[in-house]
Amino acid sequence: MTVNPSLDQSEILGHFGPYGGRFVPEALIEALDSLTAAYEAARIDPTFIAELDHLHKTYTGRPSIITEVPRFAEHAGGARIILKREDLNHTGSHKINNVLGQALLVKRMGKKRIIAETGAGQHGVASATAAALMGLECVVYMGEEDTKRQSLNVARMKLLGAEVVPVTQGSKTLKDAINEAMRDWVTNVDTTHYLLGTVAGPHPFPTMVRDFHRIIGVEARAQVLELTGKLPDAVLACVGGGSNAIGIFHPFIDDLSVRLIGLEAGGSGVASGKHAATITGGTPGVLHGTRSYVLQDENGQTVESHSISAGLDYPGVGPEHAYLSDIGRAEYQAITDAEAMEAFSLLSKTEGIIPAIETAHALAGAMKLGRELGPTATLLINLSGRGDKDVDTAARYFGIPL
Amino acid sequence: MTPLSELFEKTRAENRAALIGYLPAGFPSQQECIDAISAMVEGGVDAIEIGFPYSDPVMDGPIIQAAADLSLSQGTGAKEVFSTLKAVASTGTPAVVMTYWNPIERYGVENFARDIAGSGGSGVITPDLTIEEAARWRDSVKKENINSIFVVAPSTKDDRLAKVTEQCSGFIYAASLMGVTGTRTSVSSSARDLVTRVRKVSDTPVAVGLGVSTRDQAHEVAQYADGVIVGSAFIRLLQESQSMGEGLIRVRELAQSLAEGVRR
């Protein structure tokens, strides 16, 4: 099984309680309607499901394994800690799950060009990879600031044949890359699919992208049950837009004994104002086509986010997370840059796994929770990406000469 | 009936199109914006759209983005938008606010509609509010008797066109092409097709925006539309001018030339 077998009525209309929906120029409605229809058809089409399954097995390397990390767990109150290894996927993160699903849809819709936004570069690399695999033209919008922070991923995208457009407007980060991708899409919507990389944006993206990532949680739930004989006490994941988190959370939503914990980027601390913890420190609003929590000022202007992690440096968050937070089914906490980097270093040195800095936020959350719950607890963490792309940033942070 | 609706009755009687000019509030500064709008009106602009500058304007090209950024950097917010609206409307010129949705939601949907009416505004253009999300807004504009103006696009299918235009009053904003705001060398032929399709489902006046910047383009659009909307071309003149004095002269000249264009 690769996609979500059932949707409830409100999700068909793209709403999660008061969140979600569509706030976009009218010019995009036709494309969003066509995309929704194509996805609704593909979701239950055995041919589509088989094609995607085949790619998962033969291209991505699914199912991804789980790894228990006892030496790391010694620093987390001795809790039992299990990692879902999305870092071992082809291209190095969970992003490939969504990208392959959408790229297959693009082929079905007969479009030849995809555009994508990227922050850390992981979604850009995954999009460029899928474009190369399926013979599509690919343009990736990336904030100029991020092209500097993540120059290695810029080179990777170019090697894969994609065009990378540095975005010089606004804060020159992910949010501005999304603005520019939306402008491209409005202009070229006949020929172009916007391969949005997270569970935000207008309907159907939040549900569709979630469904393509549900495989993470579906696999992990079965793997943890097989290993431990019971469900974990908590599932933890980092949250920027929230795609890896919703992917692992969603199959556990009905398991009410399992705490779902999203770790947001606390930057220099939420109180400092320099952070990207949208649910923890934001307010309900509309950004990039969806209603959710937003970092905004009293006039509704988006406030710039701050994080050491380019992939979490986003002032919005997926609408389903906003809803899960409001109804109390999931908890969201902020992890500072310093806490994340400590966890980054610790996992590297105790387990020989260098995580992405994004993912390190989830690890830091697990260290806190493990200390709180003690050795009887079992924690499942989505290890959403590997840290190769972050070697530069980490070396500078820890003062390692390059 | 709002001043905007009265204007379209008048221009229809005169067998011409209305000329609608756009400027973001607070650009180039709070007072200079009002001065530039006065120059537009002196030159022959019939109605004014005051933009609420927004941090993430996905419908706008580089010219309006730069103007909005400058305005925001000077602290423009709802207070400045409403005071600009008041200043323009008090001179008798029909005026509306054009804003992305989030500033309305942040201000309070009912309060925003109330303060538009209270400032003498005729209505609001909402470029990223879809009719599916507009229930509260519909109630508010109805209560305040102001115009609710939605945008339709060349890609909007006929059945949807009927639904969206049904929600419009004052005028229907027809986007001339698939794209963002900005000046272009020619007006897309898709504009005429779109207006023709709108006419089949609605009697509300139709104004065409996106890409119109010259007298000839205005003249061409005026042959089939009730209104011609010009924004980026005015902003660009102000951006390019060495002084505000020069900018005002050039804005007035462009307005005069466009006003000739809309008279068939």
Side-chain angles (χ1 to χ4, degrees):
Chain A
M1 188 190 66
T2 56
V3 290
N4 192 13
S6 65
L7 296 173
D8 73 31
Q9 199 56 32
S10 69
E11 286 187 12
I12 289 170
L13 301 167
H15 290 109
F16 305 91
Y19 302 109
R22 281 182 184 166
F23 296 84
V24 291
E26 190 62 31
L28 291 178
I29 294 293
E30 170 54 22
L32 291 169
D33 281 347
S34 308
L35 178 62
T36 306
Y39 173 61
E40 288 300 315
R43 201 166 62 79
I44 48 170
D45 177 352
T47 312
F48 180 83
I49 294 170
E51 274 182 304
L52 189 53
D53 256 346
H54 182 73
L55 286 174
H56 282 327
K57 291 197 179 86
T58 63
Y59 193 71
T60 306
R62 300 210 74 91
S64 64
I65 59 171
I66 55 169
T67 301
E68 192 163 356
V69 285
R71 277 171 46 75
F72 176 79
E74 285 171 20
H75 303 267
R80 191 165 187 189
I81 294 187
I82 299 163
L83 307 180
K84 176 62 173 168
R85 300 292 304 280
E86 292 297 298
D87 62 318
L88 297 179
N89 292 342
H90 180 45
T91 74
S93 81
H94 70 291
K95 294 288 185 189
I96 191 82
N97 302 324
N98 165 49
V99 157
L100 290 177
Q102 285 197 48
L104 277 181
L105 264 185
V106 172
K107 283 184 74 179
R108 281 168 78 102
M109 292 187 293
K111 291 185 173 180
K112 301 273 185 249
R113 177 175 182 264
I114 60 170
I115 54 174
E117 83 294 342
T118 198
Q122 293 301 85
H123 175 59
V125 167
S127 298
T129 301
L133 176 68
M134 302 197 193
L136 303 166
E137 182 190 344
C138 179
V139 176
V140 180
Y141 290 95
M142 189 170 186
E144 191 181 43
E145 197 61 37
D146 291 335
T147 61
K148 289 178 196 155
R149 287 197 274 194
Q150 303 286 346
S151 55
L152 190 65
N153 269 343
V154 174
R156 286 169 81 193
M157 288 183 267
K158 289 181 177 167
L159 287 170
L160 290 161
E163 181 190 346
V164 180
V165 181
V167 175
T168 55
Q169 281 90 353
S171 60
K172 301 174 186 157
T173 60
L174 180 56
K175 113 182 155 62
D176 306 283
I178 295 176
N179 291 341
E180 210 49 34
M182 300 259 283
R183 291 183 189 113
D184 180 317
W185 203 29
V186 169
T187 308
N188 301 299
V189 68
D190 277 350
T191 59
T192 299
H193 173 69
Y194 180 12
L195 210 163
L196 190 70
T198 192
V199 287
H203 178 62
F205 288 107
T207 39
M208 179 178 69
V209 175
R210 175 201 67 201
D211 289 352
F212 287 138
H213 283 306
R214 276 186 93 249
I215 193 165
I216 304 170
V218 170
E219 288 176 3
R221 192 175 179 282
Q223 287 166 321
V224 170
L225 276 174
E226 194 190 332
L227 179 72
T228 69
K230 61 184 182 68
L231 290 169
D233 296 291
V235 178
L236 300 98
C238 63
V239 176
S243 67
N244 91 80
I246 209 75
I248 198 162
F249 286 177
H250 200 260
F252 288 96
I253 284 180
D254 292 334
D255 301 319
L256 296 178
S257 69
V258 180
R259 285 172 68 181
L260 306 175
I261 303 174
L263 289 312
E264 299 192 296
S268 313
V270 174
S272 73
K274 298 222 172 262
H275 65 89
T278 311
I279 294 179
T280 310
T283 47
V286 168
L287 176 64
H288 293 144
T290 191
R291 183 184 287 118
S292 184
Y293 280 79
V294 179
L295 298 181
Q296 57 181 330
D297 69 13
E298 70 281 4
N299 280 303
Q301 309 291 346
T302 312
V303 171
E304 276 181 37
S305 55
H306 297 270
S307 170
I308 190 168
S309 149
L312 302 183
D313 201 350
Y314 179 58
V317 66
E320 191 166 8
H321 286 293
Y323 180 61
L324 290 174
S325 174
D326 278 12
I327 64 170
R329 180 62 191 96
E331 308 154 50
Y332 297 84
Q333 301 162 7
I335 295 294
T336 63
D337 288 350
E339 290 168 333
M341 293 313 288
E342 186 199 344
F344 175 95
S345 169
L346 201 61
L347 189 74
S348 304
K349 286 179 178 154
T350 58
E351 300 287 350
I353 299 170
I354 301 178
I357 295 177
E358 289 77 13
T359 311
H361 289 70
L363 295 162
M367 288 169 67
K368 284 186 179 179
L369 185 65
R371 285 168 193 162
E372 192 185 309
L373 299 181
T376 57
T378 301
L379 311 182
L380 170 65
I381 304 172
N382 194 4
L383 201 80
S384 55
R386 61 179 177 235
D388 306 35
K389 69 183 176 59
D390 292 317
V391 168
D392 239 31
T393 307
R396 252 178 285 127
Y397 184 87
F398 293 115
I400 300 167
L402 287 169
Chain B
M1 186 176 276
T2 64
L4 183 67
S5 298
E6 287 167 14
L7 168 69
F8 278 105
E9 286 203 344
K10 179 177 143 234
T11 54
R12 275 184 168 177
E14 291 172 7
N15 191 31
R16 68 172 178 98
L19 176 60
I20 304 167
Y22 168 92
L23 216 57
F27 171 80
S29 69
Q30 175 72 5
Q31 184 55 46
E32 286 166 326
C33 174
I34 295 168
D35 295 344
I37 288 171
S38 298
M40 286 157 77
V41 174
E42 284 161 26
V45 170
D46 297 299
I48 296 293
E49 284 176 18
I50 296 157
F52 193 139
Y54 178 54
S55 52
D56 296 275
V58 296
M59 264 283 283
D60 288 306
I63 295 173
I64 293 182
Q65 281 176 51
D69 282 350
L70 177 67
S71 176
L72 286 174
S73 73
Q74 296 164 164
T76 303
K79 188 168 150 271
E80 290 72 23
V81 171
F82 284 117
S83 74
T84 307
L85 177 63
K86 211 167 195 167
V88 177
S90 68
T91 65
T93 302
V96 297
V97 167
M98 181 156 186
T99 179
Y100 290 88
W101 180 247
N102 197 45
I104 295 183
E105 194 155 303
R106 187 69 175 155
Y107 193 82
V109 174
E110 292 77 15
N111 293 351
F112 198 90
R114 181 198 66 206
D115 288 352
I116 290 284
S119 308
S122 290
V124 184
I125 305 169
T126 47
D128 65 344
L129 178 65
T130 54
I131 52 169
E132 288 80 4
E133 304 290 343
R136 254 178 90 191
W137 179 240
R138 267 198 300 277
D139 294 343
S140 303
V141 296
K142 209 169 184 180
K143 179 163 174 260
E144 303 295 344
N145 281 311
I146 55 173
N147 296 136
S148 162
I149 299 154
F150 289 87
V151 180
V152 295
S155 63
T156 310
K157 285 190 170 168
D158 287 342
D159 55 341
R160 187 172 173 85
L161 210 49
K163 288 183 200 154
V164 177
T165 56
E166 197 175 84
Q167 310 282 336
C168 292
S169 63
F171 69 89
I172 295 158
Y173 191 124
S176 69
L177 47 75
M178 298 298 288
V180 295
T181 58
T183 60
R184 290 176 177 82
T185 48
S186 66
V187 177
S188 164
S189 64
S190 60
R192 182 189 285 266
D193 299 340
L194 175 59
V195 173
T196 305
R197 291 198 296 125
V198 172
R199 299 281 191 216
K200 287 182 186 153
V201 294
S202 175
D203 295 329
T204 307
V206 189
V208 170
L210 263 57
V212 185
S213 62
T214 66
R215 181 191 182 285
D216 287 350
Q217 289 172 339
H219 187 71
E220 185 192 333
V221 173
Q223 303 311 306
Y224 57 85
D226 302 290
V228 178
I229 303 168
V230 179
S232 297
F234 285 118
I235 294 169
R236 197 175 55 183
L237 291 180
L238 293 168
Q239 288 166 337
E240 286 171 357
S241 293
Q242 301 300 315
S243 69
M244 195 58 199
E246 181 198 334
L248 292 177
I249 290 167
R250 292 177 69 184
V251 162
R252 195 179 294 111
E253 283 169 0
L254 176 63
Q256 278 165 353
S257 159
L258 292 165
E260 286 164 23
V262 298
R263 283 163 176 81
R264 301 166 183 134

